[in-house]
Amino acid sequence: MATTTDPAPNLDTTLGADFEKTDESVGKPATGMPVRTIALGTLGTLLILLTAVGAAGILVRDPILGDGPLSWIRYGHGQMLATAILYIGFALVVWAWVRLGRHVLAGRVDARAVLIAALCWMAPLLVSPPVFTRDVFSYLGQGMLPLQGFDPYVVGPAQLKDMPDISQNVHAFWQTTPAPYGPLFILLAKGVVSITGEDAILGVILMRLTLAVGLGLLIWALPGLVKHLGGKLPVALWLAVASPMTVVHLFGGPHNDILMVGLLAAGTLCMLNRKHVIGIILATLAMAVKASAAPALPFLVWIWAKHLKGTFWRRFVRAASISIGIFATTFTLVTLAAGVNLGWFPALRAPAMIVNWMSPPTAVGEFLHWLTSLLFNVSKEPFIMVTRAIGAVLLVYIFVRQWWAAREGGPDAIRRMAIVLLCIALLSPATLPWYLTWGFVIAAALPWQVNRLPFVVGLSVFLVLTYSPAGEDQLYNYPFMAAAIVVSILAAKALTIIDPLNAFGHKRPALVDVGPAPRKDPIAD
């Protein structure tokens, strides 16, 4: 594998790389363990853990630090110091991820090393307060509502007036909002809260462990997906598991998206391996966590049809009819087990209440309103409604076109499925940073060209920084967003250039040639 045409055998040692020599690895399997890089990222998440008690999603009434001698970390200058150190910890995680990416692209480490690094980075966050979000407190409230006789698809956590340790920790924006999640997630949330009760600290930890099932499924599925889709496993694990988006947002958050994408990845692999019934069941369970997984199911039908014999339409009708039957049965059983009804579907409107420029249709509407407001005093809502409607029409067009183009099945259908999932995240009325993982974790198993990976690095860093450690939107804090863009660009450049600021006087490639001549796709199997 070649990643540059300008070998520099001693270059990586100049800034403290993990491996002193690279020429000895030529022609040998990658078996190195990047100990310093693993330690660097672990130090970063340890700093996040230690300062999250003051700067992240803290409790309104904390039984541990609320009135103790360490309560200063939650107020005034103490909280400012905690926030600054937390960002330093995040910077160390990013630095470690970039260093790990250099090792991956240079062929110095294998998939096992990447996985160990990611798990070491996540370990401290297992017992951390939620970071860069407060959504987990909403999850606990939505699980408690049905246990108290309320319909989580009709009322929000504010109804839990007698349980302030649950209701008061929910972000004010979501206090009265019904749950926009599927019956499987409500069932799991009920299970967590039935064990932890009103103990929000234990609830966050157990919820994180429950959602980590999705992480396990993703790790299990990636080797098979890479085999089918033509990617390279160390690269896929580096992109989908070791990324700050997964380590900090999906796991450290935590967000239930990690469970959805794990189920979907496992279901996709089962379909490719001709385990069609299990594949449709897993994909249906993914939808029963979040509706965002639903558009993937029609693509999986093409996979099944590809494996059948007969004419095109006979194969399609057979695969589609059986898939619908499996879907209906699975979804009905999960709904009955959760003790809820189909009120979930009207509740899906809830995310549309979010208005921010991360959603391109919403951003266009806001920009047009700003231009118009220079001359006229008009409301913003009509502009946003129109551009969101245009975005919805465009999304339907993309879905139909990609779905029909995927009719031959096979890996191409999965690639097009990933495209559609990414478009759903971008063209929905509201886009939140972690939404972009829906299609990306599948796309990570595809072949990647090195020149596209710096963009992924920069985007991943930027998406985390769009929210504060306490879970507040920073998108309209323009000076902060400008700084976030600069940091993201530096991180992107650092993947392929050591010393991108030229502070040490040698702005040279960070990747060392350790393989044969470059191919069209240098990091694909």
Side-chain angles (χ1 to χ4, degrees), residues 222-231 268-269 271-274 410-411 445:
L222 277 176
L225 290 176
V226 163
K227 181 179 178 180
H228 284 286
L229 301 181
T268 300
L269 176 60
M271 295 299 294
L272 291 169
N273 286 340
R274 297 175 179 265

Side-chain angles (χ1 to χ4, degrees), residues 153-312:
Y153 296 145
V154 175
V155 299
Q159 291 293 324
L160 302 170
K161 298 177 182 178
D162 297 332
M163 297 182 172
D165 289 337
I166 295 292
S167 61
Q168 291 182 7
N169 287 310
V170 178
H171 194 285
F173 191 85
W174 302 113
Q175 284 277 349
T176 59
T177 304
Y181 308 121
L184 176 59
F185 181 73
I186 298 298
L187 178 62
L188 294 174
K190 285 172 60 178
V192 168
V193 177
S194 66
I195 296 172
T196 62
E198 295 184 58
D199 189 333
I201 295 177
L202 183 59
V204 169
I205 295 173
L206 187 55
M207 181 63 75
R208 187 177 279 125
L209 280 171
T210 301
L211 297 179
V213 171
L215 176 65
L217 289 171
L218 177 60
I219 293 171
W220 172 81
L222 277 176
L225 290 176
V226 163
K227 181 179 178 180
H228 284 286
L229 301 181
K232 194 171 183 66
L233 185 55
V235 175
L237 287 169
W238 176 69
L239 289 172
V241 179
S243 164
M245 282 295 294
T246 301
V247 173
V248 177
H249 251 324
L250 293 184
F251 184 79
H255 289 286
N256 57 11
D257 302 73
I258 195 171
L259 179 59
M260 183 198 82
V261 297
L263 287 166
L264 184 57
T268 300
L269 176 60
C270 287
M271 295 299 294
L272 291 169
N273 286 340
R274 297 175 179 265
K275 299 177 181 179
H276 306 114
V277 174
I278 298 176
I280 295 297
I281 290 174
L282 288 172
T284 303
L285 293 178
M287 178 188 168
V289 174
K290 294 193 75 168
S292 313
L297 284 160
F299 288 89
L300 299 183
V301 171
W302 289 131
I303 302 294
W304 194 340
K306 176 71 172 181
H307 295 159
L308 299 176
K309 295 181 180 179
T311 64
F312 172 82

Side-chain angles (χ1 to χ4, degrees), residues 350-356 358-359 362 388 424-432 435 438:
M353 298 188 305
I354 302 172
V355 177
N356 65 46
M358 189 170 288
S359 163
T362 302
R388 283 181 170 182
I424 290 172
L426 289 172
L427 296 177
S428 294
T431 300
L432 295 175
Y435 287 7
W438 297 344

